[in-house]
Amino acid sequence: MNSVIVWTIVILAGLGLVLAVVLYFIAEKFKVEEDPRIDEIEKTLPGANCGGCGYAGCHAFADTAVKAANLDAHFCPVGGNEVMKKVSAILGYTISEKAPQVAVVRCNGSCDVRPRTNIYDGAQSCRVKAALYSGDTGCAFGCLGCGDCVGACEFGALSMDPATGLPVVDGEKCVACGKCVKACPKALIELRNKGPRGMRVFVSCRNQDKGPAAKKACANACIGCGICAKTCTHDAIVVENNLAYIDFAKCKLCRECEAMCPTGSIIGVNFPKELDKEAVKKRIADRKAKAAAENKEVSNE
């Protein structure tokens, strides 16, 4: 009986050894050599694995960067330009710096200007709420207030303001990974250039209804009047589908559009001084008067 047990153990051990040797040779034959620069780049990256770069984590980013002909399609928003300089040095590529970006919430429909028309009593998820109906206010384009964007942010850069019912972005913590952008079913969050010293101007509205309907739903809504576009001397504003949009690449931060907006849907943030709307309006009026006088002189000639 003992000899049977011993032989069983010996046979099983021998079989295990043979299989181990076979697997070793198979692994050696089919193993794929990985470029050592992949690990080097991955160690350089922040390790957030947030997907903000457009790839499935830091390892995937490093792998595709090594195989790419250049880094034009690669940028780590968490590490920013400093990390990308290190990555480019490892690969021997040259890169051009990108302007830092930050998330902005394009809805200014706080509780006091966007009255509720019904009460939602379902799952506290913007995505679920959006799938069921347009929302609990008259604006079908506004924030649903359940905080999906807050839950998606891995950097603690978003919070819900209980007074307004809207998400608030902490510009110091935001790394522009874009997860909140994807989480919002109403497409209310946008990544924009931070601007010099964090100053930026944008239209905080996504309502595409015609003026009267938009105004009725929210007192702060863009009504598509086009005054801002006519005022802008930098060709930075377009009005499409009853909604104004400011191109941050063209905007010179003069804030004239903000002063002229009749509903306050255009917002300027992080400016050192409060906007003197009357002074700006006077400047615009003086400029128009001067231009009209010059045109009159030309026509008389």
Side-chain angles (χ1 to χ4, degrees):
M1 185 67 179
N2 289 337
S3 61
V4 173
I5 296 174
V6 171
W7 276 109
T8 302
I9 294 173
V10 171
I11 292 171
L12 290 175
L15 182 61
L17 180 62
V18 171
L19 291 174
V21 171
V22 171
L23 289 174
Y24 170 77
F25 282 109
I26 291 174
E28 284 295 309
K29 181 176 179 59
F30 294 103
K31 75 176 180 179
V32 178
E33 294 289 345
E34 189 173 68
D35 193 316
R37 294 177 299 174
I38 295 175
D39 284 337
E40 193 176 352
I41 291 173
E42 188 174 3
K43 291 175 182 177
T44 302
L45 298 173
N49 290 306
C50 61
C53 58
Y55 298 96
C58 295
H59 185 82
F61 174 91
D63 182 53
T64 54
V66 168
K67 296 173 183 176
N70 54 60
L71 292 175
D72 292 348
H74 291 75
F75 186 77
C76 172
V78 180
N81 290 314
E82 291 304 312
V83 165
M84 290 308 300
K85 286 178 183 177
K86 296 176 182 178
V87 172
S88 64
I90 293 171
L91 298 175
Y93 294 153
T94 56
I95 60 166
S96 53
E97 292 193 10
K98 293 187 178 182
Q101 293 192 314
V102 66
V104 298
V105 180
R106 293 188 59 197
C107 179
N108 197 24
S110 55
C111 301
D112 56 332
V113 297
R114 189 165 54 118
R116 289 193 174 190
T117 55
N118 55 73
I119 297 176
Y120 173 74
D121 192 26
Q124 290 303 301
S125 164
C126 296
R127 195 160 294 280
V128 173
K129 194 173 182 179
L132 295 174
Y133 71 137
S134 60
D136 44 17
T137 72
C139 178
F141 301 87
C143 177
L144 296 171
C146 294
D148 284 19
C149 54
V150 176
C153 182
E154 298 180 2
F155 303 93
L158 274 160
S159 60
M160 295 300 296
D161 186 337
T164 63
L166 299 172
V168 178
V169 179
D170 185 335
E172 296 300 316
K173 294 181 180 179
C174 179
V175 298
C177 68
K179 279 204 166 184
C180 57
V181 177
K182 297 176 182 177
C184 180
K186 295 288 187 177
L188 292 174
I189 303 180
E190 177 190 9
L191 296 181
R192 295 178 69 89
N193 285 359
K194 275 190 174 182
R197 298 184 299 282
M199 297 183 296
R200 50 193 176 273
V201 178
F202 60 97
V203 180
S204 187
C205 182
R206 292 275 295 167
N207 196 319
Q208 296 180 18
D209 287 333
K210 291 185 177 180
K215 184 70 174 177
K216 182 179 179 180
C218 176
N220 289 345
C222 173
I223 55 176
C225 62
I227 292 176
C228 55
K230 295 173 184 176
T231 300
C232 183
T233 58
H234 310 293
D235 195 30
I237 304 177
V238 294
V239 179
E240 294 179 353
N241 298 320
N242 307 308
L243 180 65
Y245 180 79
I246 300 174
D247 185 341
F248 55 77
K250 295 180 179 179
C251 179
K252 303 301 180 184
L253 304 176
C254 67
R255 303 182 77 183
E256 290 187 353
C257 58
E258 184 184 355
M260 295 299 292
C261 179
T263 63
S265 63
I266 298 180
I267 295 178
V269 296
N270 294 330
F271 286 88
K273 294 181 180 179
E274 186 176 349
L275 178 64
D276 187 341
K277 292 187 177 182
E278 295 307 315
V280 174
K281 289 178 181 179
K282 184 179 183 305
R283 183 175 75 213
I284 295 170
D286 291 344
R287 184 175 68 221
K288 288 182 177 179
K290 183 180 178 181
E294 290 175 351
N295 289 335
K296 187 176 181 180
E297 288 180 7
V298 172
S299 61
N300 290 335
E301 292 175 357

Short mmCIF file of all heavy atoms in Angstrom, two decimals, residues 191-221:
data_model
loop_
_atom_site.label_atom_id
_atom_site.label_comp_id
_atom_site.label_asym_id
_atom_site.label_seq_id
_atom_site.Cartn_x
_atom_site.Cartn_y
_atom_site.Cartn_z
N LEU A 191 -14.04 71.62 -21.19
CA LEU A 191 -12.65 71.95 -20.86
C LEU A 191 -12.25 73.17 -21.67
O LEU A 191 -12.34 73.18 -22.89
CB LEU A 191 -11.73 70.77 -21.17
CG LEU A 191 -11.95 69.49 -20.38
CD1 LEU A 191 -10.94 68.43 -20.80
CD2 LEU A 191 -11.87 69.73 -18.89
N ARG A 192 -11.79 74.21 -20.96
CA ARG A 192 -11.37 75.45 -21.62
C ARG A 192 -10.00 75.84 -21.09
O ARG A 192 -9.60 75.43 -19.99
CB ARG A 192 -12.37 76.58 -21.33
CG ARG A 192 -13.75 76.35 -21.91
CD ARG A 192 -14.69 77.48 -21.54
NE ARG A 192 -14.35 78.74 -22.20
CZ ARG A 192 -14.80 79.12 -23.38
NH1 ARG A 192 -15.61 78.31 -24.06
NH2 ARG A 192 -14.47 80.28 -23.90
N ASN A 193 -9.29 76.65 -21.86
CA ASN A 193 -8.00 77.15 -21.40
C ASN A 193 -8.19 77.93 -20.10
O ASN A 193 -9.13 78.72 -19.97
CB ASN A 193 -7.37 78.05 -22.46
CG ASN A 193 -6.80 77.26 -23.61
OD1 ASN A 193 -6.86 76.03 -23.63
ND2 ASN A 193 -6.25 77.94 -24.59
N LYS A 194 -7.28 77.71 -19.16
CA LYS A 194 -7.38 78.42 -17.88
C LYS A 194 -7.28 79.92 -18.07
O LYS A 194 -7.91 80.70 -17.36
CB LYS A 194 -6.26 77.96 -16.94
CG LYS A 194 -6.58 76.71 -16.16
CD LYS A 194 -5.53 76.46 -15.09
CE LYS A 194 -5.93 75.29 -14.21
NZ LYS A 194 -4.96 75.06 -13.12
N GLY A 195 -6.47 80.34 -19.02
CA GLY A 195 -6.29 81.77 -19.25
C GLY A 195 -5.21 82.33 -18.34
O GLY A 195 -4.82 81.71 -17.34
N PRO A 196 -4.69 83.50 -18.66
CA PRO A 196 -3.65 84.12 -17.82
C PRO A 196 -4.17 84.39 -16.41
O PRO A 196 -5.24 84.97 -16.24
CB PRO A 196 -3.34 85.43 -18.57
CG PRO A 196 -4.53 85.69 -19.43
CD PRO A 196 -5.07 84.34 -19.80
N ARG A 197 -3.42 83.91 -15.43
CA ARG A 197 -3.79 84.05 -14.02
C ARG A 197 -5.19 83.49 -13.74
O ARG A 197 -5.89 83.96 -12.83
CB ARG A 197 -3.67 85.51 -13.57
CG ARG A 197 -2.26 86.06 -13.67
CD ARG A 197 -2.14 87.47 -13.12
NE ARG A 197 -2.99 88.42 -13.85
CZ ARG A 197 -2.69 88.95 -15.05
NH1 ARG A 197 -1.56 88.59 -15.64
NH2 ARG A 197 -3.49 89.80 -15.63
N GLY A 198 -5.59 82.53 -14.53
CA GLY A 198 -6.88 81.86 -14.31
C GLY A 198 -8.08 82.65 -14.80
O GLY A 198 -9.23 82.23 -14.58
N MET A 199 -7.87 83.76 -15.48
CA MET A 199 -8.99 84.59 -15.95
C MET A 199 -9.58 83.99 -17.23
O MET A 199 -8.85 83.64 -18.15
CB MET A 199 -8.52 86.02 -16.21
CG MET A 199 -8.03 86.74 -14.97
SD MET A 199 -7.57 88.47 -15.30
CE MET A 199 -6.18 88.26 -16.42
N ARG A 200 -10.90 83.90 -17.28
CA ARG A 200 -11.57 83.38 -18.46
C ARG A 200 -13.00 83.90 -18.52
O ARG A 200 -13.59 84.25 -17.50
CB ARG A 200 -11.55 81.85 -18.47
CG ARG A 200 -12.01 81.20 -17.18
CD ARG A 200 -11.65 79.73 -17.15
NE ARG A 200 -12.01 79.12 -15.88
CZ ARG A 200 -11.22 79.10 -14.81
NH1 ARG A 200 -10.03 79.67 -14.88
NH2 ARG A 200 -11.61 78.52 -13.69
N VAL A 201 -13.53 83.93 -19.72
CA VAL A 201 -14.89 84.39 -19.97
C VAL A 201 -15.60 83.33 -20.80
O VAL A 201 -15.05 82.85 -21.80
CB VAL A 201 -14.90 85.74 -20.72
CG1 VAL A 201 -16.33 86.18 -20.99
CG2 VAL A 201 -14.16 86.81 -19.93
N PHE A 202 -16.81 82.95 -20.41
CA PHE A 202 -17.53 81.94 -21.17
C PHE A 202 -19.04 82.12 -21.01
O PHE A 202 -19.51 82.79 -20.07
CB PHE A 202 -17.14 80.52 -20.74
CG PHE A 202 -17.41 80.22 -19.27
CD1 PHE A 202 -18.56 79.56 -18.89
CD2 PHE A 202 -16.50 80.59 -18.29
CE1 PHE A 202 -18.82 79.28 -17.56
CE2 PHE A 202 -16.74 80.31 -16.95
CZ PHE A 202 -17.91 79.66 -16.58
N VAL A 203 -19.79 81.53 -21.93
CA VAL A 203 -21.25 81.57 -21.86
C VAL A 203 -21.70 80.42 -20.98
O VAL A 203 -21.54 79.25 -21.33
CB VAL A 203 -21.88 81.44 -23.26
CG1 VAL A 203 -23.41 81.48 -23.15
CG2 VAL A 203 -21.39 82.56 -24.16
N SER A 204 -22.26 80.74 -19.83
CA SER A 204 -22.67 79.71 -18.88
C SER A 204 -24.12 79.30 -19.12
O SER A 204 -25.00 79.47 -18.29
CB SER A 204 -22.50 80.22 -17.44
OG SER A 204 -22.73 79.18 -16.52
N CYS A 205 -24.34 78.75 -20.30
CA CYS A 205 -25.68 78.31 -20.68
C CYS A 205 -25.58 77.39 -21.89
O CYS A 205 -24.70 77.58 -22.73
CB CYS A 205 -26.57 79.51 -21.01
SG CYS A 205 -28.28 79.07 -21.44
N ARG A 206 -26.52 76.42 -21.96
CA ARG A 206 -26.58 75.52 -23.12
C ARG A 206 -27.98 75.48 -23.72
O ARG A 206 -28.27 74.65 -24.57
CB ARG A 206 -26.16 74.11 -22.69
CG ARG A 206 -24.69 73.96 -22.32
CD ARG A 206 -23.83 73.72 -23.52
NE ARG A 206 -24.15 72.44 -24.16
CZ ARG A 206 -23.74 72.08 -25.35
NH1 ARG A 206 -22.99 72.90 -26.06
NH2 ARG A 206 -24.06 70.91 -25.86
N ASN A 207 -28.85 76.38 -23.28
CA ASN A 207 -30.24 76.37 -23.73
C ASN A 207 -30.34 76.80 -25.20
O ASN A 207 -29.88 77.88 -25.56
CB ASN A 207 -31.08 77.30 -22.86
CG ASN A 207 -32.58 77.06 -23.02
OD1 ASN A 207 -33.07 76.83 -24.12
ND2 ASN A 207 -33.29 77.09 -21.92
N GLN A 208 -30.94 75.96 -26.01
CA GLN A 208 -31.07 76.26 -27.43
C GLN A 208 -32.50 76.64 -27.83
O GLN A 208 -32.81 76.77 -29.01
CB GLN A 208 -30.61 75.05 -28.26
CG GLN A 208 -29.14 74.74 -28.09
CD GLN A 208 -28.68 73.55 -28.91
OE1 GLN A 208 -29.36 73.16 -29.87
NE2 GLN A 208 -27.54 72.98 -28.58
N ASP A 209 -33.34 76.87 -26.83
CA ASP A 209 -34.69 77.33 -27.13
C ASP A 209 -34.64 78.78 -27.62
O ASP A 209 -33.67 79.50 -27.37
CB ASP A 209 -35.57 77.26 -25.87
CG ASP A 209 -35.94 75.84 -25.50
OD1 ASP A 209 -35.98 74.99 -26.42
OD2 ASP A 209 -36.17 75.57 -24.31
N LYS A 210 -35.69 79.22 -28.29
CA LYS A 210 -35.76 80.61 -28.71
C LYS A 210 -35.88 81.52 -27.50
O LYS A 210 -36.33 81.09 -26.43
CB LYS A 210 -36.93 80.81 -29.67
CG LYS A 210 -36.71 80.13 -31.03
CD LYS A 210 -37.82 80.45 -32.00
CE LYS A 210 -37.54 79.82 -33.36
NZ LYS A 210 -38.61 80.11 -34.34
N GLY A 211 -35.51 82.77 -27.68
CA GLY A 211 -35.40 83.72 -26.58
C GLY A 211 -36.50 83.69 -25.54
O GLY A 211 -36.23 83.47 -24.34
N PRO A 212 -37.76 83.90 -25.90
CA PRO A 212 -38.83 83.94 -24.90
C PRO A 212 -38.95 82.65 -24.09
O PRO A 212 -39.15 82.69 -22.87
CB PRO A 212 -40.09 84.18 -25.75
CG PRO A 212 -39.59 84.86 -26.98
CD PRO A 212 -38.25 84.24 -27.25
N ALA A 213 -38.85 81.51 -24.76
CA ALA A 213 -38.96 80.22 -24.07
C ALA A 213 -37.79 80.00 -23.13
O ALA A 213 -37.95 79.52 -22.00
CB ALA A 213 -39.04 79.09 -25.09
N ALA A 214 -36.58 80.36 -23.59
CA ALA A 214 -35.38 80.21 -22.75
C ALA A 214 -35.47 81.11 -21.53
O ALA A 214 -35.16 80.70 -20.40
CB ALA A 214 -34.14 80.53 -23.56
N LYS A 215 -35.89 82.35 -21.73
CA LYS A 215 -36.01 83.32 -20.64
C LYS A 215 -37.05 82.89 -19.62
O LYS A 215 -36.89 83.08 -18.41
CB LYS A 215 -36.36 84.69 -21.22
CG LYS A 215 -36.41 85.82 -20.20
CD LYS A 215 -35.04 86.17 -19.69
CE LYS A 215 -35.12 87.41 -18.79
NZ LYS A 215 -33.81 87.74 -18.21
N LYS A 216 -38.14 82.31 -20.10
CA LYS A 216 -39.20 81.85 -19.21
C LYS A 216 -38.72 80.70 -18.33
O LYS A 216 -39.07 80.60 -17.16
CB LYS A 216 -40.42 81.40 -20.03
CG LYS A 216 -41.60 80.96 -19.19
CD LYS A 216 -42.78 80.55 -20.07
CE LYS A 216 -43.96 80.07 -19.20
NZ LYS A 216 -45.12 79.66 -20.05
N ALA A 217 -37.90 79.82 -18.91
CA ALA A 217 -37.40 78.66 -18.17
C ALA A 217 -36.33 79.05 -17.16
O ALA A 217 -36.22 78.46 -16.09
CB ALA A 217 -36.86 77.62 -19.13
N CYS A 218 -35.51 80.07 -17.52
CA CYS A 218 -34.40 80.47 -16.64
C CYS A 218 -34.07 81.94 -16.89
O CYS A 218 -33.82 82.33 -18.04
CB CYS A 218 -33.17 79.59 -16.90
SG CYS A 218 -31.71 80.07 -15.97
N ALA A 219 -34.04 82.71 -15.84
CA ALA A 219 -33.77 84.15 -15.97
C ALA A 219 -32.35 84.42 -16.45
O ALA A 219 -32.08 85.48 -17.02
CB ALA A 219 -34.01 84.85 -14.63
N ASN A 220 -31.43 83.48 -16.24
CA ASN A 220 -30.03 83.66 -16.64
C ASN A 220 -29.71 83.03 -17.98
O ASN A 220 -28.54 82.96 -18.37
CB ASN A 220 -29.09 83.07 -15.58
CG ASN A 220 -29.08 83.89 -14.30
OD1 ASN A 220 -29.53 85.03 -14.29
ND2 ASN A 220 -28.57 83.32 -13.23
N ALA A 221 -30.71 82.57 -18.71
CA ALA A 221 -30.46 81.85 -19.96
C ALA A 221 -29.99 82.77 -21.06
O ALA A 221 -30.35 83.94 -21.13
CB ALA A 221 -31.73 81.13 -20.40
#
